[in-house]
mmCIF file of all heavy atoms in Angstrom:
data_model
loop_
_atom_site.group_PDB
_atom_site.id
_atom_site.type_symbol
_atom_site.label_atom_id
_atom_site.label_comp_id
_atom_site.label_asym_id
_atom_site.label_seq_id
_atom_site.Cartn_x
_atom_site.Cartn_y
_atom_site.Cartn_z
ATOM 1 N N GLY R 1 12.675 78.471 53.944
ATOM 2 C CA GLY R 1 14.064 78.140 53.639
ATOM 3 C C GLY R 1 14.592 77.166 54.684
ATOM 4 O O GLY R 1 13.996 76.981 55.741
ATOM 5 N N GLY R 2 15.738 76.532 54.394
ATOM 6 C CA GLY R 2 16.322 75.578 55.340
ATOM 7 C C GLY R 2 16.636 76.235 56.670
ATOM 8 O O GLY R 2 16.307 75.730 57.735
ATOM 9 N N THR R 3 17.310 77.396 56.614
ATOM 10 C CA THR R 3 17.599 78.183 57.821
ATOM 11 C C THR R 3 17.492 79.653 57.434
ATOM 12 O O THR R 3 17.186 79.970 56.280
ATOM 13 C CB THR R 3 19.037 77.934 58.338
ATOM 14 O OG1 THR R 3 19.956 78.279 57.293
ATOM 15 C CG2 THR R 3 19.259 76.478 58.727
ATOM 16 N N VAL R 4 17.763 80.533 58.382
ATOM 17 C CA VAL R 4 17.661 81.975 58.111
ATOM 18 C C VAL R 4 18.604 82.376 56.983
ATOM 19 O O VAL R 4 18.286 83.220 56.141
ATOM 20 C CB VAL R 4 17.986 82.776 59.396
ATOM 21 C CG1 VAL R 4 17.831 84.260 59.147
ATOM 22 C CG2 VAL R 4 17.065 82.340 60.528
ATOM 23 N N THR R 5 19.805 81.765 56.954
ATOM 24 C CA THR R 5 20.806 82.179 55.964
ATOM 25 C C THR R 5 20.797 81.294 54.725
ATOM 26 O O THR R 5 21.446 81.593 53.731
ATOM 27 C CB THR R 5 22.215 82.091 56.591
ATOM 28 O OG1 THR R 5 22.372 80.779 57.158
ATOM 29 C CG2 THR R 5 22.391 83.132 57.679
ATOM 30 N N HIS R 6 20.057 80.205 54.765
ATOM 31 C CA HIS R 6 20.119 79.184 53.721
ATOM 32 C C HIS R 6 18.751 79.112 53.054
ATOM 33 O O HIS R 6 17.778 78.735 53.682
ATOM 34 C CB HIS R 6 20.452 77.856 54.431
ATOM 35 C CG HIS R 6 20.751 76.729 53.501
ATOM 36 N ND1 HIS R 6 21.784 76.758 52.604
ATOM 37 C CD2 HIS R 6 20.160 75.515 53.334
ATOM 38 C CE1 HIS R 6 21.820 75.611 51.927
ATOM 39 N NE2 HIS R 6 20.841 74.845 52.351
ATOM 40 N N ASN R 7 18.670 79.499 51.772
ATOM 41 C CA ASN R 7 17.330 79.644 51.181
ATOM 42 C C ASN R 7 16.870 78.420 50.389
ATOM 43 O O ASN R 7 15.986 78.518 49.556
ATOM 44 C CB ASN R 7 17.283 80.892 50.289
ATOM 45 C CG ASN R 7 18.100 80.717 49.013
ATOM 46 O OD1 ASN R 7 18.902 79.796 48.925
ATOM 47 N ND2 ASN R 7 17.890 81.569 48.035
ATOM 48 N N HIS R 8 17.448 77.246 50.649
ATOM 49 C CA HIS R 8 16.983 76.042 49.958
ATOM 50 C C HIS R 8 15.709 75.532 50.640
ATOM 51 O O HIS R 8 15.710 75.259 51.833
ATOM 52 C CB HIS R 8 18.055 74.941 49.992
ATOM 53 C CG HIS R 8 19.262 75.274 49.160
ATOM 54 N ND1 HIS R 8 20.228 74.351 48.825
ATOM 55 C CD2 HIS R 8 19.664 76.439 48.597
ATOM 56 C CE1 HIS R 8 21.161 74.936 48.090
ATOM 57 N NE2 HIS R 8 20.845 76.198 47.947
ATOM 58 N N ALA R 9 14.640 75.426 49.856
ATOM 59 C CA ALA R 9 13.352 74.965 50.415
ATOM 60 C C ALA R 9 13.060 73.563 49.890
ATOM 61 O O ALA R 9 12.750 73.384 48.713
ATOM 62 C CB ALA R 9 12.234 75.931 50.005
ATOM 63 N N TRP R 10 13.181 72.568 50.773
ATOM 64 C CA TRP R 10 12.896 71.180 50.389
ATOM 65 C C TRP R 10 11.383 70.957 50.341
ATOM 66 O O TRP R 10 10.652 71.403 51.225
ATOM 67 C CB TRP R 10 13.500 70.221 51.409
ATOM 68 C CG TRP R 10 14.935 69.880 51.186
ATOM 69 C CD1 TRP R 10 15.423 68.755 50.575
ATOM 70 C CD2 TRP R 10 16.093 70.623 51.593
ATOM 71 N NE1 TRP R 10 16.806 68.771 50.570
ATOM 72 C CE2 TRP R 10 17.242 69.904 51.177
ATOM 73 C CE3 TRP R 10 16.268 71.847 52.260
ATOM 74 C CZ2 TRP R 10 18.541 70.359 51.412
ATOM 75 C CZ3 TRP R 10 17.554 72.297 52.485
ATOM 76 C CH2 TRP R 10 18.673 71.553 52.066
ATOM 77 N N VAL R 11 10.917 70.245 49.323
ATOM 78 C CA VAL R 11 9.479 69.968 49.179
ATOM 79 C C VAL R 11 8.968 69.219 50.413
ATOM 80 O O VAL R 11 7.980 69.599 51.047
ATOM 81 C CB VAL R 11 9.205 69.147 47.901
ATOM 82 C CG1 VAL R 11 7.732 68.736 47.834
ATOM 83 C CG2 VAL R 11 9.582 69.954 46.664
ATOM 84 N N ARG R 12 9.676 68.150 50.783
ATOM 85 C CA ARG R 12 9.222 67.303 51.894
ATOM 86 C C ARG R 12 9.180 68.094 53.199
ATOM 87 O O ARG R 12 8.188 68.068 53.926
ATOM 88 C CB ARG R 12 10.169 66.109 52.023
ATOM 89 C CG ARG R 12 9.838 65.146 53.144
ATOM 90 C CD ARG R 12 10.926 64.104 53.323
ATOM 91 N NE ARG R 12 11.254 63.421 52.078
ATOM 92 C CZ ARG R 12 12.315 63.734 51.308
ATOM 93 N NH1 ARG R 12 13.140 64.694 51.683
ATOM 94 N NH2 ARG R 12 12.548 63.082 50.200
ATOM 95 N N ASP R 13 10.267 68.788 53.506
ATOM 96 C CA ASP R 13 10.337 69.547 54.758
ATOM 97 C C ASP R 13 9.243 70.610 54.827
ATOM 98 O O ASP R 13 8.661 70.857 55.882
ATOM 99 C CB ASP R 13 11.705 70.227 54.904
ATOM 100 C CG ASP R 13 12.830 69.214 55.046
ATOM 101 O OD1 ASP R 13 12.834 68.252 54.260
ATOM 102 O OD2 ASP R 13 13.682 69.372 55.924
ATOM 103 N N ASN R 14 8.980 71.258 53.676
ATOM 104 C CA ASN R 14 7.956 72.300 53.656
ATOM 105 C C ASN R 14 6.570 71.734 53.937
ATOM 106 O O ASN R 14 5.796 72.320 54.699
ATOM 107 C CB ASN R 14 7.969 73.035 52.305
ATOM 108 C CG ASN R 14 8.916 74.214 52.284
ATOM 109 O OD1 ASN R 14 8.506 75.360 52.333
ATOM 110 N ND2 ASN R 14 10.217 73.940 52.241
ATOM 111 N N VAL R 15 6.258 70.581 53.331
ATOM 112 C CA VAL R 15 4.928 69.985 53.548
ATOM 113 C C VAL R 15 4.768 69.556 55.005
ATOM 114 O O VAL R 15 3.757 69.845 55.657
ATOM 115 C CB VAL R 15 4.689 68.787 52.598
ATOM 116 C CG1 VAL R 15 3.356 68.113 52.927
ATOM 117 C CG2 VAL R 15 4.684 69.255 51.147
ATOM 118 N N TYR R 16 5.793 68.888 55.551
ATOM 119 C CA TYR R 16 5.708 68.465 56.954
ATOM 120 C C TYR R 16 5.621 69.677 57.889
ATOM 121 O O TYR R 16 4.898 69.651 58.884
ATOM 122 C CB TYR R 16 6.911 67.594 57.335
ATOM 123 C CG TYR R 16 6.729 66.126 57.030
ATOM 124 C CD1 TYR R 16 7.670 65.421 56.276
ATOM 125 C CD2 TYR R 16 5.611 65.425 57.493
ATOM 126 C CE1 TYR R 16 7.499 64.061 55.998
ATOM 127 C CE2 TYR R 16 5.437 64.067 57.215
ATOM 128 C CZ TYR R 16 6.385 63.402 56.471
ATOM 129 O OH TYR R 16 6.209 62.059 56.197
ATOM 130 N N SER R 17 6.363 70.738 57.560
ATOM 131 C CA SER R 17 6.379 71.915 58.441
ATOM 132 C C SER R 17 5.015 72.599 58.513
ATOM 133 O O SER R 17 4.649 73.151 59.544
ATOM 134 C CB SER R 17 7.431 72.926 57.965
ATOM 135 O OG SER R 17 8.718 72.358 58.001
ATOM 136 N N ILE R 18 4.267 72.561 57.396
ATOM 137 C CA ILE R 18 2.987 73.286 57.375
ATOM 138 C C ILE R 18 1.862 72.452 57.998
ATOM 139 O O ILE R 18 0.783 72.967 58.293
ATOM 140 C CB ILE R 18 2.619 73.713 55.935
ATOM 141 C CG1 ILE R 18 1.732 74.983 55.936
ATOM 142 C CG2 ILE R 18 1.927 72.599 55.166
ATOM 143 C CD1 ILE R 18 2.405 76.238 56.404
ATOM 144 N N MET R 19 2.124 71.152 58.242
ATOM 145 C CA MET R 19 1.054 70.290 58.770
ATOM 146 C C MET R 19 0.548 70.762 60.137
ATOM 147 O O MET R 19 -0.645 70.670 60.436
ATOM 148 C CB MET R 19 1.532 68.843 58.868
ATOM 149 C CG MET R 19 1.497 68.114 57.538
ATOM 150 S SD MET R 19 2.047 66.416 57.736
ATOM 151 C CE MET R 19 1.802 65.790 56.077
ATOM 152 N N ALA R 20 1.461 71.268 60.978
ATOM 153 C CA ALA R 20 1.042 71.740 62.304
ATOM 154 C C ALA R 20 0.145 72.968 62.171
ATOM 155 O O ALA R 20 -0.798 73.155 62.944
ATOM 156 C CB ALA R 20 2.264 72.073 63.159
ATOM 157 N N VAL R 21 0.446 73.812 61.177
ATOM 158 C CA VAL R 21 -0.349 75.032 60.958
ATOM 159 C C VAL R 21 -1.760 74.633 60.531
ATOM 160 O O VAL R 21 -2.759 75.171 61.028
ATOM 161 C CB VAL R 21 0.322 75.925 59.878
ATOM 162 C CG1 VAL R 21 -0.448 77.227 59.713
ATOM 163 C CG2 VAL R 21 1.785 76.196 60.234
ATOM 164 N N TRP R 22 -1.829 73.661 59.627
ATOM 165 C CA TRP R 22 -3.137 73.175 59.166
ATOM 166 C C TRP R 22 -3.886 72.493 60.310
ATOM 167 O O TRP R 22 -5.094 72.706 60.510
ATOM 168 C CB TRP R 22 -2.918 72.207 57.994
ATOM 169 C CG TRP R 22 -4.172 71.587 57.467
ATOM 170 C CD1 TRP R 22 -5.331 72.223 57.121
ATOM 171 C CD2 TRP R 22 -4.394 70.192 57.209
ATOM 172 N NE1 TRP R 22 -6.258 71.306 56.663
ATOM 173 C CE2 TRP R 22 -5.701 70.058 56.704
ATOM 174 C CE3 TRP R 22 -3.606 69.052 57.349
ATOM 175 C CZ2 TRP R 22 -6.251 68.818 56.345
ATOM 176 C CZ3 TRP R 22 -4.145 67.816 56.984
ATOM 177 C CH2 TRP R 22 -5.458 67.722 56.492
ATOM 178 N N GLY R 23 -3.168 71.682 61.098
ATOM 179 C CA GLY R 23 -3.797 71.009 62.241
ATOM 180 C C GLY R 23 -4.362 71.994 63.246
ATOM 181 O O GLY R 23 -5.469 71.818 63.779
ATOM 182 N N LEU R 24 -3.597 73.070 63.484
ATOM 183 C CA LEU R 24 -4.052 74.096 64.429
ATOM 184 C C LEU R 24 -5.289 74.816 63.887
ATOM 185 O O LEU R 24 -6.240 75.112 64.631
ATOM 186 C CB LEU R 24 -2.919 75.092 64.694
ATOM 187 C CG LEU R 24 -3.193 76.162 65.745
ATOM 188 C CD1 LEU R 24 -3.487 75.542 67.107
ATOM 189 C CD2 LEU R 24 -1.995 77.111 65.870
ATOM 190 N N ALA R 25 -5.294 75.075 62.574
ATOM 191 C CA ALA R 25 -6.476 75.712 61.953
ATOM 192 C C ALA R 25 -7.710 74.832 62.130
ATOM 193 O O ALA R 25 -8.802 75.311 62.448
ATOM 194 C CB ALA R 25 -6.210 75.961 60.461
ATOM 195 N N GLN R 26 -7.534 73.511 61.964
ATOM 196 C CA GLN R 26 -8.645 72.568 62.139
ATOM 197 C C GLN R 26 -9.157 72.600 63.589
ATOM 198 O O GLN R 26 -10.353 72.541 63.847
ATOM 199 C CB GLN R 26 -8.197 71.145 61.792
ATOM 200 C CG GLN R 26 -7.830 70.937 60.337
ATOM 201 C CD GLN R 26 -9.043 71.024 59.426
ATOM 202 O OE1 GLN R 26 -9.366 72.099 58.911
ATOM 203 N NE2 GLN R 26 -9.723 69.920 59.224
ATOM 204 N N ALA R 27 -8.198 72.693 64.538
ATOM 205 C CA ALA R 27 -8.582 72.717 65.955
ATOM 206 C C ALA R 27 -9.352 73.995 66.284
ATOM 207 O O ALA R 27 -10.349 73.972 67.026
ATOM 208 C CB ALA R 27 -7.335 72.617 66.831
ATOM 209 N N TYR R 28 -8.906 75.126 65.729
ATOM 210 C CA TYR R 28 -9.622 76.392 65.944
ATOM 211 C C TYR R 28 -11.023 76.315 65.350
ATOM 212 O O TYR R 28 -12.006 76.796 65.937
ATOM 213 C CB TYR R 28 -8.861 77.560 65.292
ATOM 214 C CG TYR R 28 -7.973 78.321 66.247
ATOM 215 C CD1 TYR R 28 -6.602 78.396 66.042
ATOM 216 C CD2 TYR R 28 -8.506 78.987 67.354
ATOM 217 C CE1 TYR R 28 -5.777 79.104 66.906
ATOM 218 C CE2 TYR R 28 -7.698 79.691 68.224
ATOM 219 C CZ TYR R 28 -6.331 79.744 68.004
ATOM 220 O OH TYR R 28 -5.531 80.447 68.871
ATOM 221 N N LYS R 29 -11.120 75.709 64.176
ATOM 222 C CA LYS R 29 -12.421 75.605 63.500
ATOM 223 C C LYS R 29 -13.405 74.808 64.361
ATOM 224 O O LYS R 29 -14.585 75.122 64.447
ATOM 225 C CB LYS R 29 -12.204 74.907 62.143
ATOM 226 C CG LYS R 29 -13.334 75.101 61.154
ATOM 227 C CD LYS R 29 -13.119 74.235 59.930
ATOM 228 C CE LYS R 29 -12.371 74.972 58.845
ATOM 229 N NZ LYS R 29 -12.295 74.187 57.596
ATOM 230 N N LYS R 30 -12.870 73.788 65.028
ATOM 231 C CA LYS R 30 -13.711 72.912 65.840
ATOM 232 C C LYS R 30 -14.135 73.581 67.142
ATOM 233 O O LYS R 30 -15.207 73.335 67.672
ATOM 234 C CB LYS R 30 -12.901 71.638 66.134
ATOM 235 C CG LYS R 30 -13.667 70.538 66.809
ATOM 236 C CD LYS R 30 -12.770 69.316 66.987
ATOM 237 C CE LYS R 30 -13.400 68.347 67.969
ATOM 238 N NZ LYS R 30 -12.446 67.330 68.421
ATOM 239 N N ASN R 31 -13.258 74.440 67.693
ATOM 240 C CA ASN R 31 -13.507 75.021 69.017
ATOM 241 C C ASN R 31 -13.709 76.535 68.995
ATOM 242 O O ASN R 31 -13.402 77.198 69.977
ATOM 243 C CB ASN R 31 -12.323 74.715 69.953
ATOM 244 C CG ASN R 31 -12.205 73.232 70.245
ATOM 245 O OD1 ASN R 31 -13.101 72.646 70.801
ATOM 246 N ND2 ASN R 31 -11.101 72.631 69.847
ATOM 247 N N ALA R 32 -14.136 77.062 67.845
ATOM 248 C CA ALA R 32 -14.222 78.533 67.740
ATOM 249 C C ALA R 32 -15.193 79.102 68.766
ATOM 250 O O ALA R 32 -16.398 78.879 68.706
ATOM 251 C CB ALA R 32 -14.643 78.911 66.326
ATOM 252 N N ASP R 33 -14.656 79.862 69.748
ATOM 253 C CA ASP R 33 -15.482 80.505 70.776
ATOM 254 C C ASP R 33 -15.981 81.866 70.297
ATOM 255 O O ASP R 33 -17.127 82.237 70.456
ATOM 256 C CB ASP R 33 -14.636 80.774 72.038
ATOM 257 C CG ASP R 33 -14.440 79.512 72.856
ATOM 258 O OD1 ASP R 33 -15.143 78.545 72.572
ATOM 259 O OD2 ASP R 33 -13.590 79.522 73.754
ATOM 260 N N LEU R 34 -15.054 82.623 69.726
ATOM 261 C CA LEU R 34 -15.315 84.039 69.417
ATOM 262 C C LEU R 34 -15.015 84.306 67.941
ATOM 263 O O LEU R 34 -14.417 83.489 67.253
ATOM 264 C CB LEU R 34 -14.386 84.932 70.269
ATOM 265 C CG LEU R 34 -14.247 84.589 71.758
ATOM 266 C CD1 LEU R 34 -13.071 85.328 72.363
ATOM 267 C CD2 LEU R 34 -15.528 84.983 72.489
ATOM 268 N N ASP R 35 -15.406 85.505 67.502
ATOM 269 C CA ASP R 35 -15.108 85.889 66.114
ATOM 270 C C ASP R 35 -13.607 85.891 65.855
ATOM 271 O O ASP R 35 -13.155 85.564 64.758
ATOM 272 C CB ASP R 35 -15.669 87.289 65.818
ATOM 273 C CG ASP R 35 -17.173 87.215 65.585
ATOM 274 O OD1 ASP R 35 -17.671 86.080 65.445
ATOM 275 O OD2 ASP R 35 -17.830 88.264 65.555
ATOM 276 N N GLU R 36 -12.829 86.275 66.885
ATOM 277 C CA GLU R 36 -11.373 86.340 66.656
ATOM 278 C C GLU R 36 -10.801 84.939 66.403
ATOM 279 O O GLU R 36 -9.797 84.788 65.719
ATOM 280 C CB GLU R 36 -10.660 87.021 67.822
ATOM 281 C CG GLU R 36 -10.571 86.181 69.084
ATOM 282 C CD GLU R 36 -9.803 86.902 70.190
ATOM 283 O OE1 GLU R 36 -10.424 87.661 70.959
ATOM 284 O OE2 GLU R 36 -8.589 86.685 70.270
ATOM 285 N N ASP R 37 -11.467 83.892 66.946
ATOM 286 C CA ASP R 37 -11.023 82.524 66.653
ATOM 287 C C ASP R 37 -11.228 82.198 65.181
ATOM 288 O O ASP R 37 -10.398 81.544 64.552
ATOM 289 C CB ASP R 37 -11.794 81.497 67.496
ATOM 290 C CG ASP R 37 -11.434 81.598 68.969
ATOM 291 O OD1 ASP R 37 -10.399 82.217 69.265
ATOM 292 O OD2 ASP R 37 -12.175 81.061 69.806
ATOM 293 N N ARG R 38 -12.358 82.663 64.647
ATOM 294 C CA ARG R 38 -12.616 82.416 63.224
ATOM 295 C C ARG R 38 -11.591 83.169 62.374
ATOM 296 O O ARG R 38 -11.137 82.681 61.336
ATOM 297 C CB ARG R 38 -14.037 82.833 62.857
ATOM 298 C CG ARG R 38 -15.071 81.940 63.530
ATOM 299 C CD ARG R 38 -16.514 82.256 63.170
ATOM 300 N NE ARG R 38 -17.404 81.507 64.052
ATOM 301 C CZ ARG R 38 -17.854 81.969 65.224
ATOM 302 N NH1 ARG R 38 -17.514 83.180 65.638
ATOM 303 N NH2 ARG R 38 -18.636 81.227 65.979
ATOM 304 N N ALA R 39 -11.214 84.351 62.836
ATOM 305 C CA ALA R 39 -10.196 85.133 62.115
ATOM 306 C C ALA R 39 -8.855 84.386 62.137
ATOM 307 O O ALA R 39 -8.151 84.310 61.134
ATOM 308 C CB ALA R 39 -10.041 86.514 62.746
ATOM 309 N N LYS R 40 -8.530 83.821 63.308
ATOM 310 C CA LYS R 40 -7.262 83.082 63.429
ATOM 311 C C LYS R 40 -7.286 81.841 62.531
ATOM 312 O O LYS R 40 -6.287 81.499 61.901
ATOM 313 C CB LYS R 40 -7.020 82.668 64.884
ATOM 314 C CG LYS R 40 -6.571 83.829 65.762
ATOM 315 C CD LYS R 40 -6.555 83.425 67.219
ATOM 316 C CE LYS R 40 -6.278 84.631 68.115
ATOM 317 N NZ LYS R 40 -6.577 84.359 69.521
ATOM 318 N N THR R 41 -8.459 81.168 62.485
ATOM 319 C CA THR R 41 -8.588 80.002 61.607
ATOM 320 C C THR R 41 -8.263 80.401 60.175
ATOM 321 O O THR R 41 -7.496 79.729 59.486
ATOM 322 C CB THR R 41 -10.040 79.449 61.643
ATOM 323 O OG1 THR R 41 -10.394 79.186 62.998
ATOM 324 C CG2 THR R 41 -10.171 78.173 60.834
ATOM 325 N N TYR R 42 -8.858 81.521 59.747
ATOM 326 C CA TYR R 42 -8.669 81.971 58.359
ATOM 327 C C TYR R 42 -7.202 82.315 58.085
ATOM 328 O O TYR R 42 -6.637 81.926 57.059
ATOM 329 C CB TYR R 42 -9.565 83.186 58.080
ATOM 330 C CG TYR R 42 -9.473 83.656 56.643
ATOM 331 C CD1 TYR R 42 -10.103 82.932 55.632
ATOM 332 C CD2 TYR R 42 -8.736 84.784 56.298
ATOM 333 C CE1 TYR R 42 -10.010 83.343 54.310
ATOM 334 C CE2 TYR R 42 -8.632 85.199 54.977
ATOM 335 C CZ TYR R 42 -9.268 84.472 53.989
ATOM 336 O OH TYR R 42 -9.160 84.852 52.671
ATOM 337 N N GLU R 43 -6.565 83.022 59.029
ATOM 338 C CA GLU R 43 -5.144 83.393 58.850
ATOM 339 C C GLU R 43 -4.274 82.157 58.694
ATOM 340 O O GLU R 43 -3.408 82.086 57.824
ATOM 341 C CB GLU R 43 -4.646 84.188 60.069
ATOM 342 C CG GLU R 43 -5.094 85.627 60.113
ATOM 343 C CD GLU R 43 -4.831 86.240 61.492
ATOM 344 O OE1 GLU R 43 -3.857 85.823 62.149
ATOM 345 O OE2 GLU R 43 -5.594 87.128 61.900
ATOM 346 N N LEU R 44 -4.490 81.182 59.576
ATOM 347 C CA LEU R 44 -3.688 79.959 59.529
ATOM 348 C C LEU R 44 -3.933 79.202 58.225
ATOM 349 O O LEU R 44 -3.000 78.723 57.581
ATOM 350 C CB LEU R 44 -4.013 79.063 60.733
ATOM 351 C CG LEU R 44 -3.581 79.604 62.108
ATOM 352 C CD1 LEU R 44 -4.273 78.835 63.227
ATOM 353 C CD2 LEU R 44 -2.064 79.524 62.280
#
């Protein structure tokens, strides 16, 4: 949603907001040290 009290979800804002989550998943995939890293990759 736009804010905690405002439930309007903009398409553009949502896609840009999730890019960091996807980027972080890619970084974990590249540097997975332990099984828990693979779990974090999957969650993200």
Side-chain angles (χ1 to χ4, degrees):
T3 59
V4 182
T5 52
H6 188 60
N7 70 345
H8 291 193
W10 275 262
V11 174
R12 179 188 308 99
D13 295 46
N14 271 255
V15 175
Y16 273 127
S17 299
I18 207 68
M19 280 181 176
V21 184
W22 177 49
L24 185 60
Q26 295 291 92
Y28 263 119
K29 198 188 268 187
K30 188 178 165 194
N31 294 299
D33 282 347
L34 315 166
D35 282 349
E36 73 178 88
D37 291 344
R38 293 182 190 90
K40 285 171 187 166
T41 305
Y42 183 75
E43 283 167 31
L44 292 165

